[in-house]
Amino acid sequence: MTEQQGWARPGEPDGRHDDAAPAGAAGGGWSVGAPGTQDASAPPPAPAGGWGPPPGAGSAWSAPQRPGIVPLRPLGALELLEGGFRAISANPRVMLGVSAVVFGAVAVISLLLTPLFGGALASFVNDSLPAEATAGPGGEFGALDFAGVDPVTGVVSLVATTVLTGLLVLSVSASVIGRTVPAGELWRRVRGRVLALVGLALLTSVAPAVLVLLGAGLGALLLLTGSTSAGVVGIVLGTLLGVAAAVWLTVSWSLAAVALLLEGRGVLSALGRSTRLVRGTFWRVLGVLLLTFVLSSIATSVLVVPAGLVAGVIQVAASGGAADAAALFITLLLSTVASVLVQPFVSAVRALLYTDLRIRQEGLDVELARAAAEPTS
């Protein structure tokens, strides 16, 4: 693997772009040459379906190489999921160890700051509401319960999770060619891209939500006609259209963070790159992302649901600050464990999906095989 690992798009051997990443970005190590530049000794490209030798290969053809966690050929959906688990076992110190450190730190910050900022936010909101809005059952939080809301912890969590995702993606990209990169080296490659990663995370989170709200808002305009039934129908249809647009945008941008890191792109360029990779294979990408979501949700529920039940029992059996603190601690502990186990898998599948699409569309398997054959320094 080269010193600055990156996967540049065809025709850009140095991995740089018009909006190239700043110094220290992970870009420009593994480029796919333009058609016709491969030497005669290079292995033949894998067929589109990943089955059998390509036509005319004859006896010279050999099975796709597997220097790392996946074979260097187009991958099926189950192979992508299996590769996600293999990525964790290939570099557990980063995939699990660093994840535990990051999510553990976020949990500690949440324990320390949530009672302070969450309570202050709740008091501010309820003091701003009319008296009748907070009266009645439930006391001061009868109208809006902001207990546990902590904007500071939310920002810290976003930044920490985004940086962790970058570390995991680079670790998986190394595992594809059978290399293991220590956490310190991964951090050196990611640190110059932190602001771009956070900006990308904010954009990909906010834009789909805006589309849903915009669709519902346009539908609500029918209420101005004076027809309640037309307004309700308009809101429902507008919301559905907004959700459909949000799903399309989320899937189209799902590989942007990987492209930003591995190709050294800027935020907008990474979004465009992801959209181009997904184009023509939208439903397959959506299916893989849905499978990943289902598996990660099941794994999370196995830990989080029992934690909620135990916390509820503690609060019913005992009252007071000590019981509330114990319930919060148990919930955060098991939620953190779930995040440590799930986030590496989700990040690994996305990185492998990006690799798979580039193998299918650009013959990246040839360049990966060459990189795997290079001696390690």
Side-chain angles (χ1 to χ4, degrees):
M1 179 179 304
T2 56
E3 178 68 16
Q4 289 291 336
Q5 174 186 326
W7 298 353
R9 63 181 299 183
E12 294 173 333
D14 61 353
R16 305 301 293 179
H17 309 275
D18 292 338
D19 54 353
W30 298 348
S31 61
V32 180
T37 61
Q38 300 172 4
D39 57 50
S41 62
W51 299 98
S59 59
W61 181 85
S62 59
Q65 297 187 38
R66 183 173 181 167
I69 56 177
V70 292
L72 300 183
R73 58 165 172 77
L75 303 172
L78 294 182
E79 289 178 310
L80 290 170
L81 299 178
E82 180 186 0
F85 293 110
R86 288 181 177 273
I88 296 175
S89 61
N91 195 0
R93 288 188 177 182
V94 169
M95 302 296 286
L96 295 179
V98 175
S99 296
V101 171
V102 171
F103 285 116
V106 172
V108 171
I109 293 174
S110 180
L111 276 173
L112 295 176
L113 298 184
T114 292
L116 175 62
F117 290 97
L121 179 61
S123 299
F124 172 78
V125 171
N126 284 279
D127 290 344
S128 303
L129 294 174
E132 58 272 14
T134 56
E140 64 173 328
F141 299 115
L144 295 175
D145 185 358
F146 281 89
V149 175
D150 176 10
V152 175
T153 302
V155 172
V156 171
S157 178
L158 173 66
V159 175
T161 304
T162 301
V163 173
L164 174 63
T165 299
L167 296 173
L168 298 178
V169 164
L170 290 181
S171 176
V172 174
S173 69
S175 298
V176 168
I177 59 172
R179 307 291 172 81
T180 300
V181 184
E185 173 65 13
L186 294 175
W187 167 242
R188 187 183 69 79
R189 297 175 183 176
V190 169
R191 63 187 179 188
R193 313 253 50 204
V194 170
L195 291 180
L197 281 170
V198 172
L200 181 64
L202 288 173
L203 186 58
T204 54
S205 299
V206 172
V210 170
L211 287 177
V212 175
L213 294 176
L214 183 61
L218 292 176
L221 291 178
L222 292 177
L223 289 174
L224 300 179
T225 64
S227 174
T228 303
S229 58
V232 171
V233 171
I235 292 175
V236 172
L237 292 179
T239 302
L240 290 177
L241 289 175
V243 169
V247 170
W248 176 85
L249 195 64
T250 299
V251 174
S252 297
W253 289 355
S254 59
L255 306 179
V258 187
L260 185 146
L261 285 168
L262 296 185
E263 299 184 30
R265 292 176 174 269
V267 173
L268 297 181
S269 178
L271 293 174
R273 174 65 162 154
S274 176
T275 301
R276 290 189 296 274
L277 286 173
V278 173
R279 185 182 300 137
T281 184
F282 174 87
W283 294 109
R284 178 175 176 273
V285 174
L286 174 60
V288 171
L289 294 179
L290 284 177
L291 283 174
T292 306
F293 173 76
V294 170
L295 289 177
S296 60
S297 297
I298 292 174
T300 301
S301 299
V302 168
L303 292 172
V304 173
V305 172
L309 294 176
V310 172
V313 169
I314 291 177
Q315 289 181 315
V316 170
S319 59
D324 292 340
L328 177 60
F329 175 78
I330 292 175
T331 302
L332 276 176
L333 176 62
L334 293 185
S335 297
T336 300
V337 172
S339 298
V340 169
L341 297 176
V342 167
Q343 186 62 43
F345 173 72
V346 173
S347 298
V349 171
R350 294 208 178 196
L352 293 175
L353 183 57
Y354 164 89
T355 304
D356 170 70
L357 291 180
R358 291 202 56 188
I359 288 176
R360 292 172 182 269
Q361 299 175 20
E362 302 172 358
L364 182 65
D365 52 324
V366 175
E367 188 64 26
L368 291 177
R370 290 173 179 167
E374 294 178 358
T376 57
S377 55

